[in-house]
Amino acid sequence: MARLAYVNGRFVRHADAAIHIEDRGYQFADGVYEVVTVLGGGFVDEAGHLARLKHSLGELRISMPFSDAVLKLVMHELARRNGVRDGYLYLQITRGVAPRDFKFPKACKSAIVMTTRRQRFSPVVEEGAGIRVVTVLDIRWARRDIKSIGLLAQVLAKQAAADAGAFEAWMVDPDGFVTEGASSNAWIVTRDGVLVTRQADHSVLHGITGNSIERIAGELGIKVERRPFSVAEAHEAREAFVTSATTFCLPVTEIDGRAVANGYPGELSRTLRQHYFAYGLTRQEQAFAWPK
Amino acid sequence: MARLAYVNGRFVRHADAAIHIEDRGYQFADGVYEVVTVLGGGFVDEAGHLARLKHSLGELRISMPFSDAVLKLVMHELARRNGVRDGYLYLQITRGVAPRDFKFPKACKSAIVMTTRRQRFSPVVEEGAGIRVVTVLDIRWARRDIKSIGLLAQVLAKQAAADAGAFEAWMVDPDGFVTEGASSNAWIVTRDGVLVTRQADHSVLHGITGNSIERIAGELGIKVERRPFSVAEAHEAREAFVTSATTFCLPVTEIDGRAVANGYPGELSRTLRQHYFAYGLTRQEQAFAWPK
């Protein structure tokens, strides 16, 4: 059976999935997205992702195309039809189709697109499976808390990483502090065993997976500090890792060509990954309230 | 006859003009655009717009879908088929369609879309036809010299203007200096009769219409300074105006609710508009070299 996509109310063959050229997502990046992991046939951190989706839409005054219940139904139905037990669902909502004009159109129906992809995940990080990271200047706009489809700066950062043989780019603010990865949140473990990741303000995307990792760390009795850390501090860290919906918690073993600690995936990173994996399978999601 | 659009090699009915949901323009804002004015059946500043298009594409390592000659041919043919003697052509080139992944796809054919719209232009600014401007914080990314389709910050700025009953938003950097308008370049005329607009670096889009206005001003013996000006300086200005492909040179008569000078379109702005209009009709475009 051909893989399906969901486009504005219809399940269509992925190859035929199209939107009008005047969809504002195509002309203005006037839309937002989410990526939700499917693990063992269920969505991980679904409530968190939907809460962030609503935050992004609300900040842009784009309306939800339909209720939460219908949205979830369509998400689950697409994953089911595509036989995705492990993988992820990509969901994009734009302001809709209107004759090109910068300001919001008076009458415009939000457009919604969903796709899925199968992917196997493992709770275990193999020896030597840590990722390389390079640092680049963070040149993005000032509202990074909105998960918009305006991702060109991230595309360039990710390509700079690929050009250097690395998996991820850590973006650095003008003061030398890491904001986050091009498609993940950035974490370090200090010499004292404290987890450090940037506070959730407008300078970074509020990570849903990162939130869960923070909670799990707390349950394990590990201290978490929400503050900026510098590239220099990262070079001296005991461990480093990234978090995102599709990477879960992935150890960083090299930053700008320098090994992190002994150059092997850190123990804490691997422990957190295993716990997150187990949590992801439980569907025991905590009630999620988007912070004010 | 139905209005046509040009989409990836074909002239299609505008209503049917579609692109795949995995066009990177839709998922990453990974593309660029130009708007070229059609005046009296010909394109205005065509060479300048094509030079800027190539600059934008080059900075993003997106390849031109075809040669200059073919591109021009298609542009002229679409304007001809749509019977556009006065109006503009919108042209968008993205990196193309590929399975979603931030970094550049290995094999990807650039996608190209063109549309046109009819619009009447006048060399004369009617009494009371000056525009209102509001100032907003410039929250865009750092590579504003690339005319990318990642325009969400501009959309929000333009909507803030509309909410305040204004036509344009002037974006202001953290030091209080105007960068440019959401979809135009910003200019003032000082008490001494000097034209001031921001220098063309990464902080603003290099205006093609603005370049021509600058040249025309020089020919009229008017001094032009390329430097940042503050909002306070704009409030004290003798005149203010915006330049862009579709507004030509349009007088600003109010900034944040305060009248500019006596609140009427300035003489110099009106003169420059008339000269630009006349120049646009001549097709005597200067050889254009993109500055290094």
Side-chain angles (χ1 to χ4, degrees), chain B residues 67-142:
Chain B
S67 70
D68 282 22
V70 173
L71 187 69
K72 286 184 195 176
L73 202 73
V74 174
M75 288 167 64
H76 286 254
E77 182 62 12
L78 184 66
R80 192 191 66 75
R81 290 198 189 192
N82 283 339
V84 179
R85 275 193 67 78
D86 293 290
Y88 55 89
L89 179 136
Y90 172 83
L91 153 64
Q92 172 171 348
I93 297 176
T94 68
R95 201 179 303 278
V97 176
R100 187 175 184 278
D101 184 9
F102 281 78
K103 62 182 187 291
F104 304 165
K106 285 214 164 48
C108 201
K109 201 170 168 298
S110 308
I112 179 164
V113 165
M114 291 184 209
T115 58
T116 63
R117 203 180 296 179
R118 291 186 202 180
Q119 186 171 316
R120 295 293 297 171
F121 302 109
S122 167
V124 180
V125 179
E126 307 295 333
E127 280 292 324
I131 61 165
R132 287 179 182 163
V133 160
V134 293
T135 58
V136 299
L137 189 63
D138 194 338
I139 61 168
R140 294 175 299 162
W141 76 329

Side-chain angles (χ1 to χ4, degrees), chain A residues 3 5-7 13-33 35 59-61 88 90 92-95 99-105 111-115 117 138-143 146 148-156 158-159 162-163 182-183, chain B residues 3 5-7 13-33 35 59-61 88 90 92-95 99-105 111-115 117 138-143 146 148-156 158-159 162-163 182-183:
Chain A
R3 186 161 56 116
Y6 178 82
V7 181
R13 275 175 29 131
H14 185 273
D16 302 330
I19 51 103
H20 193 263
I21 58 169
E22 286 192 327
D23 184 301
R24 291 175 61 94
Y26 197 54
Q27 297 193 319
F28 295 111
D30 193 5
V32 303
Y33 75 105
V35 176
E59 292 301 296
L60 300 178
R61 292 154 61 183
Y88 55 88
Y90 173 82
Q92 172 171 347
I93 296 175
T94 69
R95 202 178 303 277
R100 188 175 183 279
D101 185 8
F102 280 79
K103 62 182 187 291
F104 304 164
I112 179 163
V113 165
M114 290 185 210
T115 58
R117 203 180 296 178
D138 195 337
I139 61 169
R140 295 175 298 162
W141 76 330
R143 288 303 305 275
I146 299 171
S148 93
I149 53 174
L151 293 169
L152 189 47
Q154 288 92 319
V155 164
L156 296 179
K158 209 84 173 184
Q159 184 58 34
D163 289 343
S183 65
Chain B
R3 185 160 58 114
Y6 177 83
V7 182
R13 275 175 28 132
H14 186 273
D16 302 330
I19 50 103
H20 193 264
I21 56 168
E22 286 193 326
D23 185 302
R24 290 175 61 93
Y26 196 54
Q27 297 194 320
F28 295 111
D30 192 6
V32 304
Y33 75 105
V35 177
E59 292 299 296
L60 300 179
R61 294 154 59 185
Y88 55 89
Y90 172 83
Q92 172 171 348
I93 297 176
T94 68
R95 201 179 303 278
R100 187 175 184 278
D101 184 9
F102 281 78
K103 62 182 187 291
F104 304 165
I112 179 164
V113 165
M114 291 184 209
T115 58
R117 203 180 296 179
D138 194 338
I139 61 168
R140 294 175 299 162
W141 76 329
R143 287 303 305 275
I146 300 171
S148 93
I149 53 173
L151 293 168
L152 189 47
Q154 288 90 320
V155 164
L156 297 180
K158 209 84 174 185
Q159 184 58 34
D163 289 343
S183 64

Side-chain angles (χ1 to χ4, degrees), chain B residues 17-278:
Chain B
I19 50 103
H20 193 264
I21 56 168
E22 286 193 326
D23 185 302
R24 290 175 61 93
Y26 196 54
Q27 297 194 320
F28 295 111
D30 192 6
V32 304
Y33 75 105
E34 285 290 335
V35 177
V36 192
T37 298
V38 184
L39 194 62
F43 287 100
V44 182
D45 279 330
E46 184 180 48
H49 285 286
L50 293 191
R52 185 171 63 185
L53 178 66
K54 286 182 184 177
H55 168 77
S56 298
L57 291 170
E59 292 299 296
L60 300 179
R61 294 154 59 185
I62 297 175
S63 49
M64 276 276 275
F66 27 63
S67 70
D68 282 22
V70 173
L71 187 69
K72 286 184 195 176
L73 202 73
V74 174
M75 288 167 64
H76 286 254
E77 182 62 12
L78 184 66
R80 192 191 66 75
R81 290 198 189 192
N82 283 339
V84 179
R85 275 193 67 78
D86 293 290
Y88 55 89
L89 179 136
Y90 172 83
L91 153 64
Q92 172 171 348
I93 297 176
T94 68
R95 201 179 303 278
V97 176
R100 187 175 184 278
D101 184 9
F102 281 78
K103 62 182 187 291
F104 304 165
K106 285 214 164 48
C108 201
K109 201 170 168 298
S110 308
I112 179 164
V113 165
M114 291 184 209
T115 58
T116 63
R117 203 180 296 179
R118 291 186 202 180
Q119 186 171 316
R120 295 293 297 171
F121 302 109
S122 167
V124 180
V125 179
E126 307 295 333
E127 280 292 324
I131 61 165
R132 287 179 182 163
V133 160
V134 293
T135 58
V136 299
L137 189 63
D138 194 338
I139 61 168
R140 294 175 299 162
W141 76 329
R143 287 303 305 275
R144 300 158 191 169
D145 59 307
I146 300 171
K147 197 169 171 69
S148 93
I149 53 173
L151 293 168
L152 189 47
Q154 288 90 320
V155 164
L156 297 180
K158 209 84 174 185
Q159 184 58 34
D163 289 343
F167 176 80
E168 179 61 300
W170 278 8
M171 298 179 287
V172 179
D173 70 20
D175 298 320
F177 292 99
V178 173
T179 53
E180 61 189 322
S183 64
S184 62
N185 286 117
W187 299 69
I188 57 169
V189 182
T190 68
R191 295 276 171 102
D192 301 327
V194 177
L195 287 182
V196 182
T197 194
R198 196 161 175 124
Q199 70 282 5
D201 52 24
H202 287 186
S203 71
V204 292
L205 184 71
H206 197 121
I208 300 303
T209 305
N211 281 351
S212 293
I213 291 285
E214 181 175 9
R215 191 179 41 71
I216 290 166
E219 288 165 6
L220 295 173
I222 301 158
K223 192 178 167 196
V224 178
E225 281 180 14
R226 285 273 184 179
R227 62 167 173 86
F229 62 84
S230 67
V231 175
E233 200 176 355
H235 280 309
E236 299 306 318
R238 182 195 286 178
E239 295 185 28
F241 61 89
V242 298
T243 57
S244 75
T246 53
T247 61
F248 296 12
C249 173
L250 201 54
V252 172
T253 48
E254 195 182 291
I255 301 172
D256 288 334
R258 288 176 56 173
V260 175
N262 65 1
Y264 288 89
E267 192 183 328
L268 192 49
S269 320
R270 289 186 288 131
T271 302
L272 287 169
R273 182 183 181 85
Q274 286 171 347
H275 278 83
Y276 182 78
F277 196 94

Side-chain angles (χ1 to χ4, degrees), chain A residues 15-289:
Chain A
D16 302 330
I19 51 103
H20 193 263
I21 58 169
E22 286 192 327
D23 184 301
R24 291 175 61 94
Y26 197 54
Q27 297 193 319
F28 295 111
D30 193 5
V32 303
Y33 75 105
E34 285 291 334
V35 176
V36 192
T37 298
V38 184
L39 194 63
F43 288 100
V44 183
D45 278 330
E46 184 179 49
H49 285 286
L50 293 191
R52 185 171 63 185
L53 176 67
K54 286 183 184 176
H55 169 77
S56 298
L57 291 170
E59 292 301 296
L60 300 178
R61 292 154 61 183
I62 297 176
S63 49
M64 275 277 274
F66 26 61
S67 70
D68 282 22
V70 173
L71 186 68
K72 286 185 196 175
L73 202 72
V74 175
M75 289 168 64
H76 286 254
E77 182 62 14
L78 184 64
R80 191 191 67 76
R81 291 199 189 191
N82 283 338
V84 179
R85 275 195 66 79
D86 293 290
Y88 55 88
L89 179 137
Y90 173 82
L91 154 64
Q92 172 171 347
I93 296 175
T94 69
R95 202 178 303 277
V97 176
R100 188 175 183 279
D101 185 8
F102 280 79
K103 62 182 187 291
F104 304 164
K106 283 211 165 49
C108 201
K109 203 171 166 297
S110 309
I112 179 163
V113 165
M114 290 185 210
T115 58
T116 63
R117 203 180 296 178
R118 291 185 202 181
Q119 185 171 317
R120 294 293 298 172
F121 302 108
S122 167
V124 180
V125 179
E126 305 297 331
E127 278 293 323
I131 60 165
R132 287 178 182 163
V133 159
V134 294
T135 58
V136 299
L137 189 63
D138 195 337
I139 61 169
R140 295 175 298 162
W141 76 330
R143 288 303 305 275
R144 301 159 190 168
D145 59 307
I146 299 171
K147 197 169 171 69
S148 93
I149 53 174
L151 293 169
L152 189 47
Q154 288 92 319
V155 164
L156 296 179
K158 209 84 173 184
Q159 184 58 34
D163 289 343
F167 176 81
E168 179 61 300
W170 277 7
M171 298 180 286
V172 179
D173 69 22
D175 298 319
F177 292 99
V178 174
T179 53
E180 61 187 323
S183 65
S184 61
N185 287 117
W187 299 70
I188 56 170
V189 182
T190 68
R191 296 275 171 104
D192 300 326
V194 176
L195 287 182
V196 182
T197 194
R198 197 160 174 125
Q199 69 283 4
D201 52 24
H202 288 185
S203 71
V204 292
L205 183 70
H206 196 121
I208 300 303
T209 304
N211 281 351
S212 292
I213 291 286
E214 182 177 8
R215 191 179 40 71
I216 290 167
E219 288 166 5
L220 295 172
I222 302 158
K223 192 177 166 194
V224 178
E225 281 180 16
R226 285 273 184 179
R227 62 166 174 86
F229 62 85
S230 68
V231 175
E233 199 176 356
H235 279 309
E236 299 306 317
R238 183 195 284 180
E239 297 185 27
F241 60 89
V242 297
T243 57
S244 76
T246 55
T247 61
F248 295 11
C249 172
L250 201 56
V252 173
T253 49
E254 195 183 291
I255 300 173
D256 287 335
R258 288 175 57 173
V260 175
N262 64 0
Y264 288 88
E267 191 183 327
L268 192 49
S269 318
R270 290 187 286 132
T271 301
L272 287 169
R273 181 183 182 86
Q274 286 171 345
H275 278 83
Y276 182 78
F277 196 94
Y279 155 75
L281 283 169
T282 61
R283 315 275 166 270
Q284 304 278 308
E285 188 171 356
Q286 308 295 308
F288 190 92

